[in-house]
Amino acid sequence: MSRKEHWETVYTKTDDTQVGWYQPDPEISFRLIEKASPGRGAVIDIGGGTSRLPEKLLDHGYKKIAVLDISAAAVAKAKARLSPRAHLIQWIVGDITEVEQVGHFEVWHDRAVFHFLDELSDRRRYVELAGHTLPKGGQLIIGTFAKDGPPRCSGLDVRRYDAASLAAEFGPDFRVVDETSHLHRTPSGKPQPFIFGSSGNRVGKNTHFWEHSAHI
Ligand SMILES: C[S@@+](CC[C@H](N)C(=O)[O-])C[C@H]1O[C@@H](n2cnc3c(N)ncnc32)[C@H](O)[C@@H]1O
């Protein structure tokens, strides 16, 4: 089964409040985004799935929000839930290792997507796209399973990170500004230790943060 087929099946067959990564309130992500962009800049959520993050951002005054996910079923569910505010979000269906550009954003947020990228070439493409998407000073927030987290998620192997190994993936173009440990509990109560790394882009161009892309 391809990566896309896997995720379409998950979101078609499972209630999204029962998946292991479900959280009713994405408060860690929100806190880190607010810290990265207190001025309510443009935010893209990579692999946002059906996360409750977009409505939390809207509720707190963020106006330029995009959600990218490989699964059209996830995006359809998220849009239905957010109706009638769904049109306020830019929705992008695509594989983050394949899309060529997504526009420019002040904050790039990813909770539990980067850790699925097992191939070095996929991780390189991801880092390259993040570098082009975030202007100089833009902030990258990546949440992955920590070293003592589970080895698999959604039936797929994951790579586990600590702050140093996560920083190493993003290389010298990003300056680490923060690292946060977080214990997520799945809906069935299983503990899943996460690490969230926040870094600033030091080499991106100074440009407008928000540009609608062709993927809307
Ligand atoms: C573990 S879930 C996390 C969802 C969301 N970030 C959250 O915190 O609720 C992983 C998400 O990444 C998406 N995904 C997996 N691989 C992807 C890829 N290569 N490109 C874009 N999205 C991807 C899946 O469809 C799924 O929604």
Side-chain angles (χ1 to χ4, degrees), residues 3 7 11 21 47-49 51 68-71 94-96 111-113 116:
R3 183 147 66 191
W7 290 106
Y11 283 108
W21 55 92
S51 162
L68 178 147
D69 202 278
I70 197 170
S71 165
D95 183 327
I96 194 59
R111 172 177 179 266
V113 186
F116 289 110

Side-chain angles (χ1 to χ4, degrees), residues 30-43 57 60-65 105-107 137 139 209-210:
F30 178 73
R31 182 158 56 76
L32 295 175
I33 291 169
E34 202 177 31
K35 195 169 168 189
S37 180
R40 275 47 182 161
V43 180
L57 291 170
H60 285 82
Y62 287 81
K63 293 190 169 63
K64 297 167 180 172
I65 304 162
F105 294 86
E106 188 176 350
V107 180
Q139 297 269 314
F209 286 129
W210 175 252

Side-chain angles (χ1 to χ4, degrees), residues 15-155:
D15 179 333
D16 71 343
T17 63
Q18 297 307 312
V19 293
W21 55 92
Y22 171 71
Q23 48 178 4
D25 180 4
E27 54 104 9
I28 295 291
S29 295
F30 178 73
R31 182 158 56 76
L32 295 175
I33 291 169
E34 202 177 31
K35 195 169 168 189
S37 180
R40 275 47 182 161
V43 180
I44 184 162
D45 189 18
I46 304 299
T50 59
S51 162
R52 274 57 182 164
L53 186 59
E55 51 260 62
K56 181 139 187 160
L57 291 170
L58 284 173
D59 290 345
H60 285 82
Y62 287 81
K63 293 190 169 63
K64 297 167 180 172
I65 304 162
V67 174
L68 178 147
D69 202 278
I70 197 170
S71 165
V75 167
K77 274 192 184 181
K79 282 170 96 166
R81 193 191 68 238
L82 263 150
S83 176
R85 294 194 291 171
H87 70 281
L88 300 175
I89 309 290
Q90 180 190 4
W91 303 96
I92 305 168
V93 176
D95 183 327
I96 194 59
T97 66
E98 292 174 5
V99 295
E100 294 196 346
Q101 57 89 21
V102 291
H104 293 288
F105 294 86
E106 188 176 350
V107 180
W108 171 295
H109 170 267
D110 165 344
R111 172 177 179 266
V113 186
F114 185 76
H115 65 194
F116 289 110
L117 302 183
D118 196 31
E119 297 286 332
L120 180 60
S121 56
D122 283 346
R123 298 200 297 282
R124 290 237 164 106
R125 289 198 54 134
Y126 182 108
V127 172
E128 196 179 330
L129 184 63
H132 291 150
T133 301
L134 292 169
K136 190 169 183 178
Q139 297 269 314
L140 182 75
I141 300 167
I142 307 281
T144 71
F145 280 173
K147 285 283 186 193
D148 56 348
R152 286 168 76 79
C153 175
S154 186

